[in-house]
Amino acid sequence: MGADATTLHVAVDGVASSLQSQVAAVFFVSGACTVAIAVLLALLWLRPPWWCACPVCEAYVTASWAREFDNLCDWYAHLLRRAPGRTVHVHVLGNVLTANPATVDHMLSCRFSNYPKGAPFSAILADFLGRGIFNVDGDSWIFQRKLAAAELASPALRGFAANIVASELRCRLIPLLYSASGDGSERLLDLQDVFRRFAFDCICKISFGLDPGCLELSLPISVFADAFDMASMLSARRATVPMHVVWKLKRLLNIGEERELRDAIRLVDALASEVIRQRRKLGSAASGNDLLSRFMGSINDDKYLRDIIVSFMLAGRDTVASALTAFFLLLSDHPEVVAAIRDEVFRVAGGRDPAAASFEFDLLKDMHYVHAALHECMRLFPPVQFDSKFAAGEDTLPDGTFVAKGTRVTYHAYAMGRMELVWGPDCAVFRPERWLCGGRFVPESPYRYPVFQGGVRDCIGKELAIMEMKAVIVAVVRSFDMEAVDRSSRRPKFAPGLTGTFAGGVPVIVRRRARESGHCAPS
């Protein structure tokens, strides 16, 4: 008995010793990798000339550009304005940036097949967007695009969407603004947050046939929205790292921002799973007009459906909210544009309220000045500031720039809106009239104005998004004045992310309009 006990103790001690050795080895390897990453980052920070000694690369790696510019996109716009062909090469990123309309045409139309999203770009966003339409090429992209395009073009979907937007305006957005302006006190609202919530409600109803309030989630919906924002921001930051091996090692070790990204995506996945579950639960009881129902009829893979849902949320919430936030921030500095919008709304719609169930959304098509003002806003503040492709093969751009196979090529819509050679000497001025001829809206070439991309990959949800944004603009401007607080639309600060987001939000004071010159604020 004593011998058996001794043997048992020896065995237990051996197992414990073995486990301790394994744990120690794991900690040692993790520590060594962390130190190696830290040393690598320190070397890259201190010695950028390892890769390239040019001023552009040195300024990027050392972040010295931040001494003069508030945003990376403003620095890029500065570089592109000075470049002879409106094209610059940031060697440390392997990235050719352009603000040349001829090059955008070349990428999106003439040589479309040579400029897919590419595996490197897909890898950066794979954890967040998966196989969603914004992150794939080839058959998967064609399948999703054809299915969504067919649905978005249907009169049934457009009528369905118009009713939802009117309902959201009538029942949520307008009452919220009245509440914020009702007691005579100057209550602050974060306009960016308000529009994100509005756009989220709309996209859930239009795309998924669901009211977010019906989702049975373990946490408040705001927690999941914050996780979505965090996942977008951290995914975008991957693209700014000079060596992708750095974020890949962090992901492997589950440390730093990659750990935060994994946690955020876990919540995004939970939200998408609940959307799928609720949509299946409703079944034929729901309208069936939503986009998700159409996709669920063709796809049985829940992971694939999750990726499609996340892409819809990114397109329908973030881009719409970004454009509307920038629009009202600009209006705060341009009362003459506000007055022109009100004149047109009264002329076209009279006393009819865009938030009313009986409002004819076709009237929005006759509001050319509103249309022009919205496009002018997105020229200066595009919801997606840039878009990247990866060259499938060697190429030479129209300005003579050689592009090696595998090079990332980025057209910078934000910089293009600030190009004097493209838009004239008043390119920095918010002037809706530049889009009008004889009082009617005249569109620009999508290669001069690639806000909705162009060519084969142009945005299929453009008309729906414009309808939604114009309805919001008309309903809000006719009834309220908004004053931005301690901000200027001329020098905004952007937060990292896949869409143009204003750092710190956009606090505004909302005031109800008084009755004047025949224009009546609704009671």
Side-chain angles (χ1 to χ4, degrees), residues 37 92 107 144 160 192 260 283 289 347 416 422 432 446 453:
I37 291 172
V92 294
M107 292 170 59
Q144 292 183 56
F160 176 65
Q192 181 166 255
E260 294 179 54
N289 286 324
R347 186 174 67 254
M416 291 183 74
V422 178
Q453 294 209 48

Side-chain angles (χ1 to χ4, degrees), residues 427-509:
C427 60
V429 178
F430 178 59
R431 190 172 66 83
E433 289 78 11
R434 77 175 75 242
W435 294 85
L436 298 172
C437 181
R440 301 188 66 81
F441 176 82
V442 179
E444 280 287 353
S445 161
Y447 310 117
R448 292 183 73 217
Y449 181 78
V451 170
F452 296 101
Q453 294 209 48
V456 181
R457 206 158 184 155
D458 67 318
C459 176
I460 54 177
K462 176 174 68 174
E463 298 303 324
L464 181 62
I466 289 175
M467 178 276 292
E468 180 180 342
M469 291 187 288
K470 287 178 71 173
V472 171
I473 290 166
V474 171
V476 173
V477 169
R478 74 189 293 272
S479 300
F480 301 96
D481 289 308
M482 292 192 184
E483 179 186 346
V485 178
D486 296 328
R487 297 193 64 106
S488 168
S489 60
R490 291 176 288 279
R491 287 181 66 89
K493 179 74 174 177
F494 297 110
L498 299 176
T499 56
T501 301
F502 294 93
V506 179
V508 298
I509 296 170

Side-chain angles (χ1 to χ4, degrees), residues 87 92 193 197 210 214 226 237 247 251 263 320 358 374 411 414 418 437-438 452 462 471 475:
T87 299
V92 294
D193 181 62
R197 292 171 185 269
L210 296 171
C214 79
D226 290 343
R237 281 186 179 174
W247 68 258
R251 182 179 62 176
D263 292 342
V320 167
S358 59
L374 178 58
Y411 64 87
Y414 180 90
R418 289 159 170 75
C437 181
F452 296 101
K462 176 174 68 174

